[in-house]
Amino acid sequence: MPPRTMEQILKGRRSQPNQLIEVLQDIQENYGYISKEAMKAAADSLGVPLMEVYRVASFYKAFKLKPCGKNHLIMCMGTACHVRGARLLLEQAVSQFGVNPGEVTPDGLFSVEHVNCLGTCALGPIIRENGSYHHHMTPGKLRKLIESLRRQGTEDRQNVQVK
Ligand code: FES
């Protein structure tokens, strides 16, 4: 389904400040992050001060204020995952991508972030990738996952160029 425009997201919600979180969720879902422009449009439409929109958007970790890579890895650094080597996995991802958590690789393919718990502690170390959970991760499994995503990204790009 093609992403909805801001106009479509805000339609029927004008001057309804109580719709702020739903609007931010829709923006996040459609664009992958909440840009300054989107915050301004939401503030103007809902009748909420821009500062309040920013406060809410930056409070919830589920809302991203910067774009992510095509493949976004969320790595758990909670205690259960940490004692099973999660820190090494994060260092490996950062080294393979060549960017720090919160940044996007120059080709736009990857970004990584770390969180405190993904809620499946017994299966750690856990990595969430584009909505899929990978459990009992090891450096070898992570390397294969990244290689597979990189191959897929390259193929997608070639298919777009052929069309
Ligand atoms: S500590 Fe990693 S899933 Fe809970």
Side-chain angles (χ1 to χ4, degrees), residues 76 78-81 117-121:
C76 179
T79 306
C81 290
C117 185
L118 284 169
T120 52
C121 310

Side-chain angles (χ1 to χ4, degrees), residues 14-137:
R14 298 211 180 273
S15 303
Q16 295 182 46
N18 61 342
Q19 287 286 307
L20 177 56
I21 290 189
E22 284 83 355
V23 165
L24 292 176
Q25 284 172 329
D26 286 352
I27 295 169
Q28 172 78 41
E29 195 179 304
N30 277 270
Y31 298 100
Y33 78 109
I34 302 168
S35 66
K36 285 181 196 153
E37 295 74 22
M39 280 192 239
K40 174 99 174 61
D44 291 347
S45 178
L46 299 174
V48 176
L50 181 56
M51 199 60 207
E52 176 64 6
V53 176
Y54 177 77
R55 190 190 67 74
V56 172
S58 58
F59 178 79
Y60 293 103
K61 199 146 173 84
F63 294 140
K64 307 265 172 276
L65 305 187
K66 289 199 286 190
C68 296
K70 183 168 186 270
N71 302 291
H72 185 62
L73 301 190
I74 302 175
M75 309 185 76
C76 179
M77 290 294 121
T79 306
C81 290
H82 184 80
V83 297
R84 297 183 190 127
R87 173 63 54 189
L88 277 178
L89 296 174
L90 177 63
E91 287 169 6
Q92 180 183 335
V94 165
S95 157
Q96 278 192 256
F97 296 155
V99 295
N100 290 316
E103 298 172 349
V104 179
T105 55
D107 59 7
L109 273 185
F110 294 102
S111 56
V112 63
E113 72 173 304
H114 50 87
V115 296
N116 288 333
C117 185
L118 284 169
T120 52
C121 310
L123 304 175
I126 295 279
I127 296 175
R128 190 174 143 196
E129 162 262 320
N130 301 333
S132 299
Y133 287 80
H134 300 269
H135 58 85
H136 298 111
M137 287 303 282

